[in-house]
Amino acid sequence: ELLEHMETGKKGYSQPPDVEDYEKFFAKKLTEAQYVIHITMAKHTSMGYHNALEAAKSFENVTVVDSGHLSSSLGLSVLYAASMAEKHASRADIIKTIKKLRRYISSAFIIDSTHMMCQAGQISKKVQILCDALLLHPVIVLKNSRMVVGSMEMGNFTHVAKRYVRKVFMNAKNIDRRILFITYAGMDSQSVHYIQELVKQYCPFERVYLQKASSAIACNCGPGSFGLLFMKKNDAIISFSEASKTEA
């Protein structure tokens, strides 16, 4: 509904919770647990991290950690941290691992139309006009907690999607194939199915989640955009998995 609203020319913006909202949130969570590790989206993409950090000063048992990512990639950090907590890992180990995983989580979205990125102030009007004229589709990647343009793809959706999927999985041997999120905004089921089948050709995963992007992500990337979000093989996962087996 938000995308439909914006496609009529009306504006829509994402905004993080303010400090007071975070204080209320942390206070509520501390009635359910003795300690809170709050994992935020990349600190340079939103004020959420900074507001949460400010709110955490009011509590002795809240730690705020920058995931370095957003959307379902942030979800991967949360899933792994939750798994560690269930296996009784220490707070220090969980926090250390989350920070380490920043380098091993792959966050990249390909943008169908740059109109909403322009409207949100993420790119200039000149760049948006150029992308329209040349059928260019930017690939936005997360690096060092910042969104940057990783590359440009040219052509219609079918060709662009195929090239993007092939490039992402070029080094498939280094990919942790347990979980993949195909996260999308304003796409029909046929297009999503096409992407899913492409993924199977290049790098099949044990579990694939088809995830609609949140309103906050959708209003910035626009309809027709999608990302392939997963974790790369790394020693943080291996060492913890081995330690868990030993304890068991």
Side-chain angles (χ1 to χ4, degrees):
E1 291 176 354
L2 175 62
L3 291 176
E4 289 174 1
H5 170 82
M6 294 178 71
E7 283 178 341
T8 64
K10 297 174 182 176
K11 294 185 178 181
Y13 298 98
S14 59
Q15 184 175 335
D18 58 28
V19 175
E20 186 179 346
D21 289 328
Y22 275 112
E23 287 174 342
K24 291 177 181 177
F25 175 73
F26 293 150
K28 182 175 183 292
K29 289 301 171 187
L30 286 170
T31 64
E32 305 167 10
Q34 294 179 333
Y35 201 94
V36 171
I37 299 173
H38 182 64
I39 306 170
T40 73
M41 65 189 294
K43 64 182 179 181
H44 297 303
T45 63
S46 165
M47 283 299 294
Y49 169 80
H50 304 282
N51 290 351
L53 204 61
E54 186 63 30
K57 293 177 181 178
S58 301
F59 305 89
E60 293 182 356
N61 44 357
V62 174
T63 299
V64 176
V65 186
D66 168 25
S67 71
H69 296 274
L70 46 73
S71 190
S72 301
S73 291
L74 163 59
L76 284 168
S77 287
V78 173
L79 285 172
Y80 200 75
S83 175
M84 290 185 70
E86 287 172 354
K87 293 179 176 69
H88 308 292
S90 68
R91 294 194 301 268
D93 282 347
I94 294 172
I95 292 165
K96 181 182 177 181
T97 300
I98 295 167
K99 291 178 178 179
K100 196 168 186 178
L101 287 178
R102 292 172 190 159
R103 305 195 304 272
Y104 297 104
I105 292 175
S106 179
S107 290
F109 286 84
I110 187 160
I111 308 299
D112 184 39
S113 169
T114 55
H115 284 252
M116 287 190 185
M117 289 188 70
C118 179
Q119 184 174 305
Q122 295 175 4
I123 62 171
S124 68
K125 185 66 176 176
K126 288 182 179 179
V127 171
Q128 182 244 301
I129 292 171
L130 182 65
C131 288
D132 280 355
L134 299 178
L135 288 178
L136 293 175
H137 306 271
V139 175
I140 306 298
V141 299
L142 270 290
K143 287 185 178 180
N144 300 319
S145 296
R146 299 180 187 276
M147 286 194 295
V148 298
V149 178
S151 62
M152 286 281 190
E153 297 292 341
M154 181 184 293
N156 61 31
F157 173 83
T158 303
H159 291 99
V160 164
K162 191 170 185 177
R163 282 199 300 270
Y164 169 62
V165 173
R166 186 172 64 241
K167 282 183 180 179
V168 168
F169 297 128
M170 195 173 291
N171 295 315
K173 65 180 181 180
N174 296 321
I175 292 173
D176 180 341
R177 299 193 184 196
R178 286 179 295 176
I179 297 176
L180 169 72
F181 282 98
I182 301 176
T183 303
Y184 61 95
M187 292 180 68
D188 57 49
S189 57
Q190 186 176 350
S191 298
V192 175
H193 179 71
Y194 173 71
I195 295 164
Q196 192 175 9
E197 290 303 309
L198 283 175
V199 169
K200 286 180 184 178
Q201 292 176 30
Y202 293 103
C203 186
F205 282 77
E206 292 175 24
R207 284 180 288 172
V208 176
Y209 295 101
L210 305 179
Q211 179 66 49
K212 283 187 179 180
S214 68
S215 299
I217 298 296
C219 75
N220 283 283
C221 67
S225 303
F226 74 94
L228 303 171
L229 312 171
F230 55 88
M231 203 175 287
K232 298 172 185 175
K233 291 178 181 177
N234 64 88
D235 58 349
I237 290 178
I238 293 169
S239 60
F240 181 70
S241 298
E242 292 303 316
S244 299
K245 289 176 184 176
T246 303
E247 289 172 9

